[in-house]
Amino acid sequence: MGIHNVSKSFGTLKVLDNISIAFPSGSVTVILGQSGSGKSTLLRSINHLERVDDGFIDIDGDLIGYRRDGRTLYELKEKDILQRRRADVGMVFQSFNLFPHLSVLDNLVEAPLASGVPREQAQAEARELLARVGLADKADAWPRQLSGGQQQRVAIARALALKPKVLLFDEPTSALDPELVNEVLDVIRQLARSGTTLIIVTHEIGFAREVADTIVFMEGGRIVESGPPASVLGDPAQARTREFLSKVL
Ligand code: ADP
Ligand code: MG
C-alpha cells in the first residue's frame, strides 16, 4: 500500500502537505506526532473518510476512491467507494464505536452479512475472531456490559471480520484506563505477526519500539522523519523528533 504526494487542506489550513509513504504488505507502521499534526486526517484519507486535494493512495496498485482508465483518474461512485473501503481497509477508533443495540456477535456479523456472507459462515467466523481476542464467552453480551478494553477488542475483531488488507488504528488505547491498555496492545501485537498491514497512531512509545517495522514522525502535516525504531526512536536525525520524544518518553 502507498500514499503518493497527498495534500489536504481545510480552508486555508494545510493539514497534509505532500505526504508520501510506502507501507509494504504485512508491515507495521506507527505514526507519531503532536496533537494537530495531521495523523487522524492521514488515516481518514487512507480510509476515504476524507477526500484528498492532491495525490493518491493505492492498495496493491488499486487507487482508493478512484478508478484509472489509461492516464485518467475517475472518482468512484460513493457506493463503489464504500464497497472497496469495506473490503480493503478496516479502522479502529479511539472511541470503540460498537453498535449499542446489537449483541457482541451481531456487531461482528453485521457487515459480513451486508456484503453477502451467509449467516452461518459469518457467525462461525465471528466466534473464531472473538476467541482470537480472548472474548469467546462474550458473544451474547451487550457492548455496555463490557469494560472499555473488552469493547475495544470487540471493535478490533469487528474490523477483522471483513478480512481487510490494511488495518488502521487511531489512538486505540487513548480512551482506556491505564490498567486496560495492555490487553488491547496484546491483541495488536498478535496481529502484527499475522500478515495484515497495520498502520497505528499511538502515543505508546514502548509499544511502538517493540512492534513497528517503521516509525513515521509527523509535524504540521509533513513527515519530519521516518525509519526503523532503532533510528527514529533510538537515534533521531531531526531536532524536532528529539524534542517530541523528550516530551513523551
Ligand atoms: P491529529 O490526529 O494529529 O491530532 P488531525 O488530523 O486530527 O491531527 O488534525 C490536523 C489539523 O486539522 C488540526 O489543526 C485540526 O484542527 C484540523 N482539522 C481536522 N479535521 C478538520 C475538519 N473537519 N475541519 C477543519 N479542520 C480540521
Ligand atoms: Mg488524531
Side-chain angles (χ1 to χ4, degrees), residues 6 51 136 138 186 202 240:
V6 160
R51 294 176 55 141
K138 298 295 186 192
D186 278 341
T202 183
R240 301 295 305 126

Side-chain angles (χ1 to χ4, degrees), residues 105-161:
L105 192 74
D106 285 342
N107 263 276
L108 266 67
V109 301
E110 184 261 1
L113 288 183
S115 66
V117 178
R119 182 174 291 275
E120 282 205 358
Q121 184 188 335
Q123 289 185 339
E125 288 176 356
R127 288 184 191 280
E128 265 171 48
L129 285 169
L130 286 175
R132 247 172 98 183
V133 300
L135 295 171
D137 56 335
K138 298 295 186 192
D140 300 319
W142 297 100
R144 65 172 177 279
Q145 296 171 320
L146 305 182
S147 71
Q150 291 172 330
Q151 288 186 52
Q152 192 61 305
R153 284 147 65 197
V154 173
I156 293 170
R158 185 177 60 176
L160 289 171

Side-chain angles (χ1 to χ4, degrees), residues 50-61:
E50 297 284 358
R51 294 176 55 141
V52 300
D53 302 330
D54 263 310
F56 62 93
I57 293 163
D58 81 275
I59 295 189
D60 296 347

Side-chain angles (χ1 to χ4, degrees), residues 10-11 13-16 33-42 44 50 170-171 201 218:
F10 291 112
L13 179 68
K14 198 154 200 179
V15 178
L16 299 177
Q34 283 178 12
S35 180
S37 56
K39 307 180 299 296
S40 293
T41 306
L42 187 67
R44 292 168 59 80
E50 297 284 358
D170 196 354
E171 302 197 26
V201 172
M218 285 181 69

